[in-house]
Amino acid sequence: MKIGVLAVQGDFAEHIAVLRRLNVECREVRLPEHLEGIDGLIVPGGESTTLSRLMSIYHLREPVVAMAQAGKAVWGTCAGMIMLAHEITEADPVPLKIMDIGVQRNAFGRQIDSFEQDLDIRGLEPGPFHAIFIRAPVVNRLGAQVKTLAALPNGQAVAVRQGNLMATAFHPELTDDTRLHQYFLDLASRSEAASPPGGEG
Ligand SMILES: NC(=O)CC[C@H](N)C(=O)O
């Protein structure tokens, strides 16, 4: 299994460090050809307007959308969640419309723009996940096929899944807890199993 991490901007190095700790082969993705042969892609946190522009400049939008539509696992964290959304509350950045969710950027305002929260995550045992939110977005519309994996105490969805796709508003790569990365690897191994070697998948 090989996992790609979009490496044009943001905290891709932290995701790669977690994947290495889990002994997973990984690849930094900067160009469309780097997507070939990977079983899953992580779109990291960072700054979504920059991410959006760089994805256009490097011609990464179409191939990433095609990969998601082909059933490969794709996971967006924070700015990555914004990029996977169908729509956001602003005109810029331009999201990829991969997941059937609406997202509000910088949903927690300027004064309290960063916080930590223990979350119960559906499918993750045992015990809560310590989630770090940094100028985080929030899901403000959930499509019919989208499952909430975790919500804040006020009910706002901050981890969601739609088949082979997932998005988290927080930064699991900044903690020592590897359970969400493992969860993503399970999704990726299912998409790997679904596509015969050399086949169309
Ligand atoms: N930690 C993050 O990825 C922050 C996301 C950032 N606030 C944005 O809108 O792009």
Side-chain angles (χ1 to χ4, degrees):
M1 157 131 64
K2 196 182 290 176
I3 300 295
V5 182
L6 188 72
V8 294
Q9 198 267 336
D11 75 336
F12 54 88
E14 285 78 359
H15 276 289
I16 289 171
V18 178
L19 294 171
R20 293 224 166 105
R21 274 169 53 208
L22 293 171
N23 290 317
V24 178
E25 199 181 334
C26 37
R27 184 192 286 158
E28 294 184 3
V29 172
R30 294 196 174 84
L31 296 169
E33 54 260 42
H34 300 156
L35 294 165
E36 279 164 30
I38 60 173
D39 304 297
L41 178 72
I42 297 177
V43 182
E47 211 289 316
S48 54
T49 56
T50 310
L51 208 52
S52 173
R53 257 165 236 154
L54 291 172
M55 287 192 81
S56 299
I57 290 169
Y58 294 113
H59 304 288
L60 283 161
R61 285 178 176 273
E62 278 182 26
V64 168
V65 172
M67 184 179 163
Q69 286 172 347
K72 300 277 184 182
V74 182
W75 176 19
T77 58
C78 203
M81 168 191 256
I82 297 168
M83 286 308 297
L84 298 198
H86 181 269
E87 77 275 352
I88 59 168
T89 42
E90 300 161 29
D92 190 31
V94 181
L96 296 165
K97 301 184 192 299
I98 286 174
M99 288 184 83
D100 190 12
I101 53 174
V103 168
Q104 183 188 349
R105 284 180 72 205
N106 302 329
F108 302 97
R110 282 177 189 273
Q111 292 92 346
I112 48 160
D113 47 19
S114 301
F115 62 97
E116 301 184 15
Q117 173 76 47
D118 283 338
L119 295 174
D120 284 321
I121 300 189
R122 199 162 150 182
L124 283 204
E125 300 294 338
F129 192 97
H130 190 70
I132 298 175
F133 292 82
I134 303 170
R135 295 214 77 198
V138 79
V139 178
N140 63 5
R141 184 188 64 79
L142 283 162
Q145 307 301 316
V146 182
K147 273 193 225 163
T148 299
L149 299 179
L152 290 173
N154 68 6
Q156 287 177 308
V158 288
V160 291
R161 175 171 165 206
Q162 180 182 358
N164 54 310
L165 312 168
M166 63 188 263
T168 51
F170 49 93
H171 288 268
E173 72 286 5
L174 298 182
T175 61
D176 288 334
D177 192 335
T178 56
R179 286 179 294 162
L180 268 172
H181 284 79
Q182 192 58 60
Y183 185 101
F184 178 67
L185 295 176
D186 292 344
L187 283 189
S189 66
R190 270 181 247 169
S191 62
E192 182 187 44
S195 47
E200 280 294 300

